Every structure is written in structure tokens, then in C-alpha cells.
Amino acid sequence: METFPQIEKITRRETNLEVPPTGGTFISILRNGDDYRGNPKQLEEARNFPEGLEVGKLMPSAALEARTFSENQLAGLIEKLTPEEREQLDIIVVASDTELGPLATSDGSTPFPHQRCVETGKFLLEGIEKAMSDTGLNSEHLLNLKFHKDEEAGGAQPLAIRDIEDLQMRPRTEEFFAFLKAQAAERISKGQKANIWVMYETDEFKKEREEMNVEGPEEISARMQAFIDRAEKLASAQHKRTPDRRLLVLAVAPRDLVGPWLNIQVAGLSPEGYEIPRIENLAGFGVVISPNGQSRIKLGDKEAVLN
């Protein structure tokens, strides 16, 4: 595998859908839209909704951003294709089924277990269906309508995938993060900066984490890689059946899953040696799978072979 330099930030500006090659696949791995956590910036928008916003639910502005992003991106992509190439294109949206866990709320409870990636996928699908309608692309090209159509929920739904959830909760995970919070509080009391997620993702307390059998950043990275490996196999099997088709996949995943993979698998760093990459909501990167099975990661104007 080739390696990238360390990735410090991924912005939506450098995130684009691309035309898959004939007999190949383009996977766009996107961070979920902004979900409500009650931070100061979100509270300003929340004032427009007297009934209140539920913790973990996608922000209304994020829903609009997801719909607009996919509509504009797909419409622009379809316009580049000839009529014959359009007929070759298949599209599917998948999403992590991760819910808002006890580590995300101040009191350790989970009153609103919304699936922020699935919700993002739903609004991406709305934009996709609008773009397909506007450009005259038949709905049969949207595979979600074949594999996961929910009439009660309103048509096409994203395929929810367990493998691309964020940190997996184990019996002592909350205990370990309570330990991290205590370490952070002690540092802050001394006037030092501290962030429990930085402590976790850089595996600063690896010994204690392993003693409590808590999933670490390298295990998270391995799960992400396993998802990509499986996607490659499924795409290869699909293209063997239909070698003249092009497959476009939009996969929505949480930042906590993508960050470790980018640094460990792509940049070739150990957890102790990297900065946590900042990834904007709805920003991400592409994985191109060629007809011969080779996969490449694409981020802006950078590329590297993955297998």
C-alpha cells in the first residue's frame, strides 16, 4: 500500500463524487451531517424551533446541506455522461447504524438514540432522487429502491451497516472514559489543555485501555479496512455479473471511525505519532475500484494505491 502524508483536514470543498469507470466502482466515504449536541453554535439555530431539538438528531440546516450536496454533485456528474454512459450507472447509499452513545451525553444517558449517519443518508437520497428526476435518469438505477424500499418511511432508505459504527461499547468502556475524564480534569485544574478524545485516539493510556479490554484506535482502523475490503469484494462480484455497469456508492460514516483509518492505514502512522484529522461534516474521500480489482484512495488532487 502506498502512503499519504499525514492528513490534517478534509473539507467539503475538496469532496466530490466522480464517474466510476466501466466495470468499476467509486465509493464516496462521507462524514455524517451535524447532529444536535447543544453546543453554542447550534443553540443559535435551535432558537428558531420553539418545540426544541432532540439530542443526536440531525440539525435542520444539516439535513438541507446533505440534500443540496448530493443533488448538486450527482446532477453535475450525470451531465458529464453521454446517454449511453448514463444507462450504465447504478447508485446506492449505505450508512453506519451508530447511535448516540452514553459517552456523548454529559450525564451518561442516551435519551435520544438517533442514527445520525442513517439520517444523513436519507437526506442524501432525497437529493439523489431529485437530481435523477431533473436529469431524466430512470429510478431503476437507484439500487436502494430495489434492496431497501420503505413505503412507511417514504421510499428509498439507506442500507444500515453495523461494521462502520463508531467506538464499540464493551463492558468496561464507560469506566475507561471516566478514567480519561478524571485525567483531563486534573490537567485542566493545572491550567493545561486536555481533550479526552485526543487522549483516546492517540492511545495515550494504552496500558489502562488494554487492561479494561476497551476497543482502541488500531482496532477501529481495522474495522474500517474490513469494510473497504468487503466493499471491494462485493463490487467485484457485482461487476462480474454485469461487467458493463458503473457503480457509485455513497457511504456515510462517523468521524471517530474514519480518522484512525486515515492515519493508521493510509498515512502509515502509529496512534502515538499523529494529530487527529479534522473532517468537516459531509466531507470525505473517494475509493476507486478499477475493473481489475485495484483500489485507490482519492482525496482532492492526491491519490494512493490501497491494495
Side-chain angles (χ1 to χ4, degrees), residues 28-41:
S28 179
I29 298 178
L30 302 168
R31 181 184 177 183
N32 59 272
D34 189 23
D35 62 296
Y36 183 64
R37 303 292 178 89
N39 65 48
K41 184 179 179 181

Side-chain angles (χ1 to χ4, degrees), residues 17-182:
L17 302 183
E18 294 193 11
V19 177
T22 302
T25 300
F26 183 85
I27 305 174
S28 179
I29 298 178
L30 302 168
R31 181 184 177 183
N32 59 272
D34 189 23
D35 62 296
Y36 183 64
R37 303 292 178 89
N39 65 48
K41 184 179 179 181
Q42 293 176 331
L43 287 174
E44 184 176 344
E45 181 178 343
R47 293 192 188 98
N48 298 320
F49 299 89
E51 70 280 8
L53 296 176
E54 293 183 357
V55 174
K57 187 175 183 179
L58 214 63
M59 295 288 292
S61 58
L64 177 60
E65 287 171 354
R67 187 188 301 117
T68 303
F69 171 82
S70 59
E71 179 184 345
N72 292 342
Q73 286 275 329
L74 185 60
L77 183 149
I78 292 173
E79 287 174 357
K80 297 177 183 177
L81 302 176
T82 65
E84 293 77 14
E85 291 171 334
R86 293 184 184 194
E87 287 303 309
Q88 295 176 329
L89 183 65
D90 292 320
I91 305 162
I92 191 166
V93 177
V94 303
S96 166
D97 70 351
T98 192
E99 296 180 350
L100 184 64
L103 301 178
T105 51
S106 59
D107 61 357
S109 63
T110 54
F112 304 112
H114 289 283
Q115 295 178 315
R116 58 190 183 275
C117 296
V118 171
E119 290 182 10
T120 302
K122 290 178 181 178
F123 289 106
L124 289 173
L125 278 165
E126 287 186 8
I128 287 170
E129 291 187 280
K130 178 67 163 55
M132 293 175 68
S133 174
D134 290 348
T135 57
L137 188 64
N138 195 294
S139 62
E140 68 183 14
H141 294 268
L142 182 57
L143 300 184
N144 294 80
L145 289 171
K146 295 181 179 180
F147 302 143
H148 195 43
K149 185 175 182 179
D150 188 332
E151 298 294 351
E152 290 186 8
Q157 300 294 306
L159 290 175
I161 298 179
R162 176 58 57 103
D163 294 351
I164 51 176
E165 66 181 357
D166 56 5
L167 173 66
Q168 290 186 337
M169 297 300 292
R170 295 177 180 174
R172 299 185 68 185
T173 298
E174 292 181 47
E175 179 184 348
F176 175 66
F177 273 83
F179 164 78
L180 292 185
K181 287 179 180 178

